[in-house]
Every structure is written in C-alpha cells, then in structure tokens.
Amino acid sequence: MVHILKSVGVMSVAKIMGLLYACLGLLFVPIFLLIGLAGSIAGQEKAMPFAGIFGIFFALLMPVVYGVTGFIFGALFAFLYNLAAKWMGGIEIEVESRPSSPYAPYPVVPPGTTT
C-alpha cells in the first residue's frame, strides 16, 4: 500500500522540532557549565573578570535558544516542504497494515474512524 505525504502541519512540526532542539540544548548544558567553571578559575585576571558568569549564563540559556531556533526552523522547513510537495508531488511512503496486538505500543486505528 503506497501513500503520498502531500502536506504537513506547520505548527505541529514546529512544536516537535522546538521540543527536540530544546532537549538537544540540554545536552550542551554540562559542557557550557564546565566552560564557565574553567572561565571562573582562569578569569582571575583583570582583563576578563566575568568569564565564568558568561559561561554559566550561556549554559542556562542554551536549551531556550535551541528550542526557539528549532521551532522557527521547523516551521520554516514544514512550510517549504508544503510548497515543494505541491510542485513535486510529496514524499511517497509505503505502509503495511497489521492486526492490532495487545503487545503493541499503541492501538492501530485508521484515520477517520471512531473508537
């Protein structure tokens, strides 16, 4: 069974990408905290007294910046995909129907049906 993905919800893609990028930003928090710690140790000179504070500030700000960036670019790419899919026909995907199992992670319900 072949289906064609003709469009995606711009806001749904943007929300998911924002969340994924925020989680990715959380991975960088320890690295920036270590940089901030190293900067505070090395920042005893008069030239850069606030080097450690900037590293800690960026560590805390990183998930927010990544999340906002992921949201914006997710929306942009979803919008561009929808434009390209109108011209090119979308992405062709092949799906397989299987009977529902009690061990399935979620019930398989066809779209447009009610339970």
Side-chain angles (χ1 to χ4, degrees), residues 84-103:
K86 285 181 185 177
W87 295 332
M88 305 295 288
I91 295 175
E92 189 175 302
I93 58 172
E94 185 175 338
V95 295
E96 178 182 7
S97 297
R98 292 186 180 180
S100 183
S101 163
Y103 303 107

Side-chain angles (χ1 to χ4, degrees), residues 5-103:
L5 182 61
K6 291 193 172 197
S7 81
V8 294
V10 173
M11 286 304 292
S12 65
V13 172
K15 288 187 288 186
I16 293 297
M17 292 299 292
L19 177 66
L20 291 175
Y21 272 69
C23 292
L24 183 65
L26 285 174
L27 294 175
F28 291 114
V29 168
I31 296 167
F32 275 86
L33 286 175
L34 287 174
I35 291 170
L37 178 64
S40 66
I41 293 171
Q44 301 298 326
E45 305 168 9
K46 300 222 184 243
M48 299 185 69
F50 298 111
I53 294 172
F54 286 127
I56 293 170
F57 174 73
F58 285 125
L60 298 176
L61 193 62
M62 185 62 61
V64 175
V65 170
Y66 265 52
V68 169
T69 303
F71 181 86
I72 291 169
F73 280 99
L76 176 67
F77 290 141
F79 177 75
L80 291 175
Y81 174 82
N82 288 340
L83 285 178
K86 285 181 185 177
W87 295 332
M88 305 295 288
I91 295 175
E92 189 175 302
I93 58 172
E94 185 175 338
V95 295
E96 178 182 7
S97 297
R98 292 186 180 180
S100 183
S101 163
Y103 303 107

